[in-house]
């Protein structure tokens, strides 16, 4: 089995190895060509509330019934933490877990824009390159032995592949979903912004769209995982 790690500089990576068992590991920056921030950029967007508030992000947190003083306290502590990501900060500050998750969700969901994924003017479009390497005929992707582990919350890769499979081979949506569930599993180690590949009746399902409401944020909070570190005495 081969492991391929992608964080930044993805355009130089080659995928001519999908016929053998391969795990593609996606880290911070893998979704950056599609409008998503790195971990540090996401932290800066949240901390920006402190300097340029009230921002649209702060408005969304207030709509979720977080008090202004609690938002400010969270942002102040995050800003002074010296951490490079919100996740790393929350590992040791579980009292901020709910507001921290809500802030990340409220910042990321508006970036789940379908149009951005299919913008052919992008100089770096590795999703498209990956799909090309999966084969030019329908039977070739089904023989693929690729699986994906991602540390990111967004579902942009799944959404791109669902649409590419449907439009390239005129596959029914259900077959496209089954392909990604059973032939090319994509595992979100730290959770995701809703289960895109679940049945539409599944309570954890959320479509790929930019709409944000307090109900959607609350719905996604339970699907984000923070690994807490407990100091040893």
């Amino acid at each position: 089995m081969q492991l391929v790690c992608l964080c930044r500089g993805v355009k130089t990576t080659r995928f001519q190895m999908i016929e053998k068992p391969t795990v593609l590991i996606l880290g911070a920056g893998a979704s950056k060509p599609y409008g998503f921030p790195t971990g540090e950029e996401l932290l800066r967007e949240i901390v920006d509330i402190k300097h340029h508030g009230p921002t649209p992000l702060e408005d969304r947190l207030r709509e979720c019934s977080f008090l202004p003083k609690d938002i400010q306290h969270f942002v102040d502590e995050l800003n002074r933490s010296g951490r490079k990501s919100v996740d790393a900060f929350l590992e040791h500050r579980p009292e901020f877990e709910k507001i921290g998750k809500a802030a990340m969700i409220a910042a990321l969901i508006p970036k789940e824009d379908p149009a951005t994924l299919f913008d052919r003017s992008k100089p770096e479009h590795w999703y498209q390159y990956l799909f090309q390497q999966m084969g030019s005929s329908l039977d070739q992707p089904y023989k693929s032995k690729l699986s994906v582990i991602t540390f990111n919350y967004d579902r942009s890769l799944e959404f791109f592949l669902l649409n590419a499979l449907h439009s390239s081979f005129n596959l029914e949506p259900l077959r496209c979903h089954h392909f990604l569930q059973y032939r090319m599993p994509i595992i979100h180690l730290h959770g995701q912004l809703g289960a895109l590949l679940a049945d539409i009746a599944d309570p954890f399902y959320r479509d790929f769209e930019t709409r944000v409401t307090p109900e959607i944020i609350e719905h996604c909070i339970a699907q984000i995982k923070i690994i807490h570190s407990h100091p040893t005495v």
Side-chain angles (χ1 to χ4, degrees):
M1 177 178 291
Q2 298 190 52
L3 298 178
V4 181
C5 299
L6 297 185
C7 291
R8 303 292 294 273
V10 293
K11 65 181 178 181
T12 61
T13 304
R14 299 185 63 81
F15 294 93
Q16 295 177 352
M17 74 310 258
I18 295 179
E19 291 182 355
K20 62 180 81 172
T22 302
V23 178
L24 190 62
I25 301 175
L26 306 184
S31 305
K32 186 172 173 59
Y34 305 100
F36 294 92
T38 64
E40 191 168 4
E41 288 169 345
L42 177 59
L43 183 148
R44 287 201 299 265
E45 181 177 345
I46 294 171
V47 166
D48 200 47
I49 291 173
K50 177 180 175 67
H51 305 291
H52 302 99
T55 64
L57 176 55
E58 182 177 2
D59 291 340
R60 295 184 198 116
L61 292 177
R62 291 187 181 193
E63 289 170 0
C64 292
S65 300
F66 291 107
L67 298 176
K69 66 181 182 66
D70 293 332
I71 297 172
Q72 193 62 51
H73 182 43
F74 162 65
V75 170
D76 285 341
E77 292 293 280
L78 177 63
N79 186 46
R80 293 193 293 255
S81 69
R83 300 294 180 182
K84 296 187 71 173
S85 74
V86 184
D87 309 72
F89 170 72
L90 295 178
E91 285 180 21
H92 304 280
R93 299 297 300 269
E95 71 270 29
F96 291 119
E97 181 171 326
K98 184 171 184 179
I99 191 172
K101 286 182 176 181
M104 290 191 291
I105 292 164
L108 290 172
I109 284 180
K111 296 172 175 59
E112 286 201 331
D113 184 357
T116 305
L117 293 180
F118 300 98
D119 181 359
R120 288 185 174 269
S121 67
K122 290 183 176 298
E124 187 175 314
H125 200 334
W126 75 267
Y127 288 3
Q128 179 177 299
Y129 182 76
L130 173 62
F131 184 69
Q132 293 292 329
Q133 300 306 307
M134 291 168 61
S136 58
S137 61
L138 180 57
D139 63 316
Q140 289 176 316
Y142 273 88
K143 294 177 182 178
S144 170
K145 296 182 180 179
L146 177 68
S147 56
V148 178
I149 294 175
T150 177
F151 289 88
N152 300 322
Y153 300 130
D154 70 87
R155 297 90 39 83
S156 56
L157 178 58
E158 292 100 307
F159 187 77
F160 177 86
L161 292 174
L162 284 172
N163 282 270
L165 286 166
H166 171 70
S167 295
S168 290
F169 305 116
N170 196 27
L171 281 185
E172 295 178 355
L174 183 59
R175 288 189 63 189
C176 297
H177 278 71
H178 283 177
F179 174 83
L180 291 182
Q181 286 175 318
Y182 304 112
R183 295 287 183 173
M184 184 183 157
I186 300 175
I187 300 168
H188 289 261
L189 281 184
H190 291 168
Q192 57 188 323
L193 301 172
L196 182 64
L197 300 180
D199 186 274
I200 195 169
D202 190 303
F204 290 113
Y205 172 81
R206 190 181 75 80
D207 202 357
F208 192 88
E209 60 179 0
T210 60
R211 185 171 62 96
V212 187
T213 66
E215 293 75 24
I216 289 174
I217 292 173
E218 186 69 32
H219 173 81
C220 291
I221 283 176
Q223 300 182 64
I224 301 297
K225 305 170 187 175
I226 301 295
I227 301 174
H228 294 291
S229 298
H230 300 283
T232 57
V233 179

